[in-house]
mmCIF file of all heavy atoms in Angstrom:
data_model
loop_
_atom_site.group_PDB
_atom_site.id
_atom_site.type_symbol
_atom_site.label_atom_id
_atom_site.label_comp_id
_atom_site.label_asym_id
_atom_site.label_seq_id
_atom_site.Cartn_x
_atom_site.Cartn_y
_atom_site.Cartn_z
ATOM 1 N N PHE T 417 124.146 119.373 139.367
ATOM 2 C CA PHE T 417 123.282 118.274 138.937
ATOM 3 C C PHE T 417 123.965 117.425 137.862
ATOM 4 O O PHE T 417 123.767 116.205 137.796
ATOM 5 C CB PHE T 417 121.957 118.816 138.416
ATOM 6 C CG PHE T 417 121.197 119.629 139.419
ATOM 7 C CD1 PHE T 417 120.792 120.924 139.127
ATOM 8 C CD2 PHE T 417 120.898 119.109 140.671
ATOM 9 C CE1 PHE T 417 120.085 121.679 140.054
ATOM 10 C CE2 PHE T 417 120.200 119.857 141.610
ATOM 11 C CZ PHE T 417 119.788 121.148 141.298
ATOM 12 N N TYR T 418 124.780 118.063 137.029
ATOM 13 C CA TYR T 418 125.502 117.347 135.984
ATOM 14 C C TYR T 418 126.641 116.522 136.596
ATOM 15 O O TYR T 418 126.889 115.387 136.171
ATOM 16 C CB TYR T 418 126.028 118.331 134.943
ATOM 17 C CG TYR T 418 124.908 118.938 134.123
ATOM 18 C CD1 TYR T 418 124.107 119.960 134.638
ATOM 19 C CD2 TYR T 418 124.623 118.464 132.846
ATOM 20 C CE1 TYR T 418 123.057 120.489 133.903
ATOM 21 C CE2 TYR T 418 123.581 118.993 132.095
ATOM 22 C CZ TYR T 418 122.797 120.002 132.638
ATOM 23 O OH TYR T 418 121.745 120.523 131.917
ATOM 24 N N TYR T 419 127.317 117.090 137.586
ATOM 25 C CA TYR T 419 128.361 116.339 138.268
ATOM 26 C C TYR T 419 127.760 115.115 138.964
ATOM 27 O O TYR T 419 128.340 114.028 138.941
ATOM 28 C CB TYR T 419 129.068 117.215 139.295
ATOM 29 C CG TYR T 419 129.809 118.400 138.702
ATOM 30 C CD1 TYR T 419 129.961 119.582 139.422
ATOM 31 C CD2 TYR T 419 130.371 118.338 137.434
ATOM 32 C CE1 TYR T 419 130.640 120.668 138.893
ATOM 33 C CE2 TYR T 419 131.058 119.422 136.885
ATOM 34 C CZ TYR T 419 131.192 120.590 137.636
ATOM 35 O OH TYR T 419 131.854 121.670 137.117
ATOM 36 N N ALA T 420 126.598 115.310 139.595
ATOM 37 C CA ALA T 420 125.931 114.187 140.252
ATOM 38 C C ALA T 420 125.566 113.113 139.229
ATOM 39 O O ALA T 420 125.779 111.913 139.461
ATOM 40 C CB ALA T 420 124.683 114.680 140.986
ATOM 41 N N ALA T 421 125.030 113.539 138.087
ATOM 42 C CA ALA T 421 124.663 112.586 137.038
ATOM 43 C C ALA T 421 125.879 111.806 136.538
ATOM 44 O O ALA T 421 125.766 110.643 136.123
ATOM 45 C CB ALA T 421 124.000 113.320 135.878
ATOM 46 N N SER T 422 127.040 112.435 136.588
ATOM 47 C CA SER T 422 128.277 111.806 136.125
ATOM 48 C C SER T 422 128.905 110.908 137.179
ATOM 49 O O SER T 422 129.869 110.194 136.893
ATOM 50 C CB SER T 422 129.296 112.881 135.725
ATOM 51 O OG SER T 422 128.778 113.720 134.720
ATOM 52 N N GLY T 423 128.382 110.946 138.404
ATOM 53 C CA GLY T 423 128.943 110.146 139.481
ATOM 54 C C GLY T 423 130.194 110.757 140.075
ATOM 55 O O GLY T 423 131.125 110.043 140.481
ATOM 56 N N LYS T 424 130.226 112.113 140.160
ATOM 57 C CA LYS T 424 131.400 112.811 140.668
ATOM 58 C C LYS T 424 131.126 113.440 142.042
ATOM 59 O O LYS T 424 130.206 114.260 142.168
ATOM 60 C CB LYS T 424 131.825 113.921 139.697
ATOM 61 C CG LYS T 424 132.057 113.468 138.267
ATOM 62 C CD LYS T 424 133.176 112.455 138.161
ATOM 63 C CE LYS T 424 133.401 112.046 136.709
ATOM 64 N NZ LYS T 424 134.428 110.979 136.581
ATOM 65 N N PRO T 425 131.884 113.087 143.066
ATOM 66 C CA PRO T 425 131.810 113.840 144.317
ATOM 67 C C PRO T 425 132.173 115.308 144.079
ATOM 68 O O PRO T 425 132.943 115.625 143.156
ATOM 69 C CB PRO T 425 132.859 113.157 145.208
ATOM 70 C CG PRO T 425 132.965 111.771 144.646
ATOM 71 C CD PRO T 425 132.794 111.943 143.154
ATOM 72 N N VAL T 426 131.615 116.195 144.904
ATOM 73 C CA VAL T 426 131.815 117.633 144.680
ATOM 74 C C VAL T 426 132.266 118.328 145.952
ATOM 75 O O VAL T 426 131.996 117.880 147.066
ATOM 76 C CB VAL T 426 130.510 118.305 144.178
ATOM 77 C CG1 VAL T 426 130.052 117.691 142.876
ATOM 78 C CG2 VAL T 426 129.408 118.225 145.235
ATOM 79 N N ILE T 427 132.964 119.446 145.752
ATOM 80 C CA ILE T 427 133.295 120.379 146.824
ATOM 81 C C ILE T 427 132.817 121.737 146.356
ATOM 82 O O ILE T 427 133.328 122.281 145.377
ATOM 83 C CB ILE T 427 134.804 120.382 147.141
ATOM 84 C CG1 ILE T 427 135.252 118.981 147.588
ATOM 85 C CG2 ILE T 427 135.120 121.404 148.222
ATOM 86 C CD1 ILE T 427 136.754 118.858 147.821
ATOM 87 N N TYR T 428 131.818 122.285 147.063
ATOM 88 C CA TYR T 428 131.111 123.477 146.610
ATOM 89 C C TYR T 428 131.074 124.556 147.686
ATOM 90 O O TYR T 428 131.083 124.260 148.890
ATOM 91 C CB TYR T 428 129.658 123.114 146.258
ATOM 92 C CG TYR T 428 129.381 122.976 144.775
ATOM 93 C CD1 TYR T 428 130.074 122.037 144.004
ATOM 94 C CD2 TYR T 428 128.431 123.757 144.152
ATOM 95 C CE1 TYR T 428 129.810 121.903 142.650
ATOM 96 C CE2 TYR T 428 128.149 123.625 142.793
ATOM 97 C CZ TYR T 428 128.854 122.700 142.051
ATOM 98 O OH TYR T 428 128.596 122.566 140.718
ATOM 99 N N THR T 429 130.991 125.809 147.230
ATOM 100 C CA THR T 429 130.771 126.919 148.152
ATOM 101 C C THR T 429 129.446 126.714 148.895
ATOM 102 O O THR T 429 128.448 126.308 148.305
ATOM 103 C CB THR T 429 130.731 128.254 147.395
ATOM 104 O OG1 THR T 429 132.012 128.482 146.793
ATOM 105 C CG2 THR T 429 130.426 129.414 148.331
ATOM 106 N N ASN T 430 129.462 127.018 150.170
ATOM 107 C CA ASN T 430 128.284 126.833 151.021
ATOM 108 C C ASN T 430 127.294 127.978 150.806
ATOM 109 O O ASN T 430 127.238 128.939 151.574
ATOM 110 C CB ASN T 430 128.710 126.760 152.492
ATOM 111 C CG ASN T 430 127.571 126.369 153.410
ATOM 112 O OD1 ASN T 430 126.475 126.038 152.953
ATOM 113 N ND2 ASN T 430 127.821 126.409 154.704
ATOM 114 N N LEU T 431 126.488 127.852 149.749
ATOM 115 C CA LEU T 431 125.513 128.874 149.395
ATOM 116 C C LEU T 431 124.120 128.480 149.878
ATOM 117 O O LEU T 431 123.766 127.298 149.921
ATOM 118 C CB LEU T 431 125.467 129.061 147.875
ATOM 119 C CG LEU T 431 126.764 129.473 147.187
ATOM 120 C CD1 LEU T 431 126.576 129.477 145.679
ATOM 121 C CD2 LEU T 431 127.215 130.850 147.667
ATOM 122 N N LYS T 432 123.314 129.482 150.200
ATOM 123 C CA LYS T 432 121.940 129.261 150.656
ATOM 124 C C LYS T 432 121.141 128.478 149.627
ATOM 125 O O LYS T 432 120.423 127.525 149.967
ATOM 126 C CB LYS T 432 121.264 130.602 150.938
ATOM 127 C CG LYS T 432 119.796 130.493 151.331
ATOM 128 C CD LYS T 432 119.191 131.862 151.544
ATOM 129 C CE LYS T 432 117.704 131.775 151.869
ATOM 130 N NZ LYS T 432 117.109 133.122 152.072
ATOM 131 N N ALA T 433 121.231 128.871 148.360
ATOM 132 C CA ALA T 433 120.464 128.207 147.307
ATOM 133 C C ALA T 433 120.863 126.747 147.171
ATOM 134 O O ALA T 433 120.012 125.869 146.969
ATOM 135 C CB ALA T 433 120.658 128.936 145.980
ATOM 136 N N THR T 434 122.161 126.452 147.308
ATOM 137 C CA THR T 434 122.622 125.069 147.200
ATOM 138 C C THR T 434 122.130 124.249 148.385
ATOM 139 O O THR T 434 121.664 123.117 148.226
ATOM 140 C CB THR T 434 124.156 125.017 147.117
ATOM 141 O OG1 THR T 434 124.607 125.908 146.089
ATOM 142 C CG2 THR T 434 124.632 123.612 146.786
ATOM 143 N N ARG T 435 122.232 124.812 149.582
ATOM 144 C CA ARG T 435 121.754 124.105 150.778
ATOM 145 C C ARG T 435 120.274 123.769 150.659
ATOM 146 O O ARG T 435 119.829 122.710 151.101
ATOM 147 C CB ARG T 435 121.975 124.952 152.035
ATOM 148 C CG ARG T 435 123.422 125.163 152.427
ATOM 149 C CD ARG T 435 123.532 125.695 153.850
ATOM 150 N NE ARG T 435 122.778 126.928 154.053
ATOM 151 C CZ ARG T 435 123.273 128.147 153.870
ATOM 152 N NH1 ARG T 435 124.511 128.295 153.448
ATOM 153 N NH2 ARG T 435 122.530 129.222 154.105
ATOM 154 N N LYS T 436 119.514 124.682 150.076
ATOM 155 C CA LYS T 436 118.067 124.515 150.005
ATOM 156 C C LYS T 436 117.659 123.436 149.013
ATOM 157 O O LYS T 436 116.684 122.702 149.240
ATOM 158 C CB LYS T 436 117.412 125.846 149.623
ATOM 159 C CG LYS T 436 115.899 125.803 149.611
ATOM 160 C CD LYS T 436 115.310 127.196 149.543
ATOM 161 C CE LYS T 436 113.796 127.148 149.654
ATOM 162 N NZ LYS T 436 113.196 128.490 149.722
ATOM 163 N N TYR T 437 118.367 123.312 147.919
ATOM 164 C CA TYR T 437 117.952 122.437 146.828
ATOM 165 C C TYR T 437 118.624 121.073 146.810
ATOM 166 O O TYR T 437 118.069 120.115 146.289
ATOM 167 C CB TYR T 437 118.218 123.113 145.477
ATOM 168 C CG TYR T 437 117.073 123.947 144.976
ATOM 169 C CD1 TYR T 437 117.107 125.326 145.081
ATOM 170 C CD2 TYR T 437 115.951 123.360 144.405
ATOM 171 C CE1 TYR T 437 116.050 126.103 144.630
ATOM 172 C CE2 TYR T 437 114.892 124.126 143.948
ATOM 173 C CZ TYR T 437 114.957 125.494 144.059
ATOM 174 O OH TYR T 437 113.915 126.254 143.615
ATOM 175 N N VAL T 438 119.843 120.987 147.337
ATOM 176 C CA VAL T 438 120.633 119.775 147.127
ATOM 177 C C VAL T 438 121.153 119.231 148.453
ATOM 178 O O VAL T 438 121.699 119.982 149.268
ATOM 179 C CB VAL T 438 121.837 120.060 146.194
ATOM 180 C CG1 VAL T 438 122.523 118.759 145.802
ATOM 181 C CG2 VAL T 438 121.405 120.826 144.950
ATOM 182 N N ASP T 439 120.995 117.940 148.654
ATOM 183 C CA ASP T 439 121.554 117.276 149.836
ATOM 184 C C ASP T 439 123.003 116.912 149.528
ATOM 185 O O ASP T 439 123.349 115.753 149.286
ATOM 186 C CB ASP T 439 120.727 116.030 150.165
ATOM 187 C CG ASP T 439 121.149 115.373 151.472
ATOM 188 O OD1 ASP T 439 121.997 115.963 152.181
ATOM 189 O OD2 ASP T 439 120.639 114.285 151.778
ATOM 190 N N VAL T 440 123.854 117.928 149.548
ATOM 191 C CA VAL T 440 125.242 117.761 149.117
ATOM 192 C C VAL T 440 125.998 116.782 150.002
ATOM 193 O O VAL T 440 126.909 116.077 149.536
ATOM 194 C CB VAL T 440 125.962 119.128 149.083
ATOM 195 C CG1 VAL T 440 127.424 118.963 148.692
ATOM 196 C CG2 VAL T 440 125.277 120.064 148.099
ATOM 197 N N ALA T 441 125.640 116.678 151.269
ATOM 198 C CA ALA T 441 126.342 115.786 152.186
ATOM 199 C C ALA T 441 126.317 114.331 151.720
ATOM 200 O O ALA T 441 127.153 113.525 152.123
ATOM 201 C CB ALA T 441 125.742 115.883 153.584
ATOM 202 N N ARG T 442 125.375 113.993 150.839
ATOM 203 C CA ARG T 442 125.298 112.637 150.312
ATOM 204 C C ARG T 442 126.435 112.331 149.344
ATOM 205 O O ARG T 442 126.814 111.173 149.180
ATOM 206 C CB ARG T 442 123.952 112.435 149.593
ATOM 207 C CG ARG T 442 122.741 112.550 150.489
ATOM 208 C CD ARG T 442 122.418 111.237 151.144
ATOM 209 N NE ARG T 442 122.091 110.222 150.144
ATOM 210 C CZ ARG T 442 122.210 108.910 150.342
ATOM 211 N NH1 ARG T 442 122.661 108.464 151.485
ATOM 212 N NH2 ARG T 442 121.885 108.055 149.387
ATOM 213 N N PHE T 443 126.976 113.386 148.698
ATOM 214 C CA PHE T 443 128.012 113.109 147.701
ATOM 215 C C PHE T 443 129.085 114.193 147.638
ATOM 216 O O PHE T 443 129.748 114.359 146.617
ATOM 217 C CB PHE T 443 127.396 112.900 146.312
ATOM 218 C CG PHE T 443 126.606 114.073 145.759
ATOM 219 C CD1 PHE T 443 127.180 114.938 144.844
ATOM 220 C CD2 PHE T 443 125.304 114.304 146.158
ATOM 221 C CE1 PHE T 443 126.463 115.999 144.325
ATOM 222 C CE2 PHE T 443 124.572 115.354 145.636
ATOM 223 C CZ PHE T 443 125.150 116.204 144.718
ATOM 224 N N GLY T 444 129.291 114.907 148.753
ATOM 225 C CA GLY T 444 130.343 115.912 148.753
ATOM 226 C C GLY T 444 130.287 116.799 149.969
ATOM 227 O O GLY T 444 129.729 116.432 151.013
ATOM 228 N N PHE T 445 130.852 118.010 149.821
ATOM 229 C CA PHE T 445 130.990 118.921 150.953
ATOM 230 C C PHE T 445 130.715 120.360 150.522
ATOM 231 O O PHE T 445 131.044 120.754 149.397
ATOM 232 C CB PHE T 445 132.405 118.842 151.531
ATOM 233 C CG PHE T 445 132.744 117.493 152.118
ATOM 234 C CD1 PHE T 445 133.267 116.483 151.311
ATOM 235 C CD2 PHE T 445 132.524 117.242 153.468
ATOM 236 C CE1 PHE T 445 133.575 115.243 151.841
ATOM 237 C CE2 PHE T 445 132.832 115.995 154.007
ATOM 238 C CZ PHE T 445 133.353 114.997 153.201
ATOM 239 N N LEU T 446 130.117 121.123 151.442
ATOM 240 C CA LEU T 446 129.962 122.565 151.283
ATOM 241 C C LEU T 446 130.996 123.252 152.163
ATOM 242 O O LEU T 446 131.169 122.883 153.331
ATOM 243 C CB LEU T 446 128.548 123.001 151.666
ATOM 244 C CG LEU T 446 127.418 122.473 150.782
ATOM 245 C CD1 LEU T 446 126.066 122.932 151.315
ATOM 246 C CD2 LEU T 446 127.604 122.938 149.335
ATOM 247 N N VAL T 447 131.662 124.280 151.622
ATOM 248 C CA VAL T 447 132.800 124.881 152.311
ATOM 249 C C VAL T 447 132.801 126.397 152.186
ATOM 250 O O VAL T 447 132.090 126.971 151.353
ATOM 251 C CB VAL T 447 134.129 124.344 151.725
ATOM 252 C CG1 VAL T 447 134.247 122.843 151.907
ATOM 253 C CG2 VAL T 447 134.254 124.712 150.246
ATOM 254 N N ASP T 448 133.608 127.027 153.016
ATOM 255 C CA ASP T 448 133.975 128.426 152.807
ATOM 256 C C ASP T 448 134.984 128.428 151.656
ATOM 257 O O ASP T 448 136.054 127.811 151.778
ATOM 258 C CB ASP T 448 134.602 128.980 154.082
ATOM 259 C CG ASP T 448 135.104 130.424 153.935
ATOM 260 O OD1 ASP T 448 135.217 130.912 152.784
ATOM 261 O OD2 ASP T 448 135.399 131.047 154.961
ATOM 262 N N PRO T 449 134.703 129.081 150.544
ATOM 263 C CA PRO T 449 135.571 128.968 149.360
ATOM 264 C C PRO T 449 136.979 129.515 149.566
ATOM 265 O O PRO T 449 137.893 129.147 148.822
ATOM 266 C CB PRO T 449 134.822 129.775 148.292
ATOM 267 C CG PRO T 449 133.992 130.748 149.063
ATOM 268 C CD PRO T 449 133.579 130.014 150.301
#
Side-chain angles (χ1 to χ4, degrees):
F417 301 125
Y418 290 78
Y419 297 150
S422 302
K424 306 298 181 184
V426 300
I427 300 176
Y428 258 59
T429 296
N430 188 6
L431 301 174
K432 176 182 177 180
T434 309
R435 292 195 304 270
K436 184 167 185 174
Y437 271 102
V438 189
D439 187 7
V440 178
R442 297 274 298 156
F443 60 99
F445 296 87
L446 295 177
V447 299
D448 176 346

